[in-house]
Amino acid sequence: MPDSRPLQQPTSPQPRRSDATRTAILEAARERFAADGYERATIRAIAKDAAIDPSMVMRYFGNKEGLFAAAVSVDLALPNLGTLPRDEVGRALVTHFLAMWEENEVLTALLRVGVTNQSGAERMQGIFREQVLPVAHAVCPDPEQVPARAALAATQLLGLALSRYVLRIPPAVALTREEVTAWLAPTVQRYLTAPHP
């Protein structure tokens, strides 16, 4: 005998409550970090903005560092190195990164988080993979060497940022932008464009 019950229409999956909570926390965190900066933003304030208990923030993200790493979006807006004369690549990258570090406190906070927190480290690795590698591809003489060469350039740029903006080592802080560029640009240039040693 045929089933006479009405056919049920397929329903689209409803977002899970945990997804909505996670989204609310991330939105509140982005606004709070933008308004207060990393140091002054607190889990309690972010939880209040998201209208949840602070323990829920800890449940989803572990700690402030994990939340920050998940919440921040960083566009390095790197220059197109393929359009520059080959011998200006190092100078262009160092100049660009100095401007970014000095004008964007999110980068400094993310670097600080990246050296102490797994989520922050993974976020930094993602930025390297998604934004730095493609730029290095434009100028490296051997495509197979792009990852290693880009990583070597990153050691210089991140090492400078760590020394100058996070640890604030006095001689590194005292250097002018022009001095930093003069010292660092030839090394970054060599890493990206010189023949393999």
Side-chain angles (χ1 to χ4, degrees), residues 157-180:
L157 297 166
L158 293 176
L160 169 72
L162 184 65
S163 300
R164 187 173 170 97
Y165 305 115
V166 176
L167 300 176
R168 301 196 55 79
I169 295 172
V173 173
L175 291 169
T176 66
R177 281 196 196 188
E178 294 74 21
E179 290 172 319
V180 171

Side-chain angles (χ1 to χ4, degrees), residues 84-144:
L84 297 174
R86 195 170 186 81
D87 62 349
E88 293 179 18
V89 166
R91 176 170 290 280
L93 270 182
V94 173
T95 302
H96 180 79
F97 269 98
L98 280 171
M100 289 290 292
W101 288 110
E102 293 186 6
E103 296 163 12
N104 187 339
E105 76 172 38
V106 170
L107 284 176
T108 303
L110 185 56
L111 179 61
R112 186 179 295 115
V113 169
V115 298
T116 60
N117 176 276
Q118 182 61 33
S119 297
E122 288 169 2
R123 188 73 189 98
M124 292 291 282
Q125 290 164 12
I127 292 169
F128 174 80
R129 188 172 48 253
E130 296 156 17
Q131 298 184 46
V132 178
L133 280 178
V135 169
H137 262 287
V139 295
C140 289
D142 182 345
E144 290 182 9

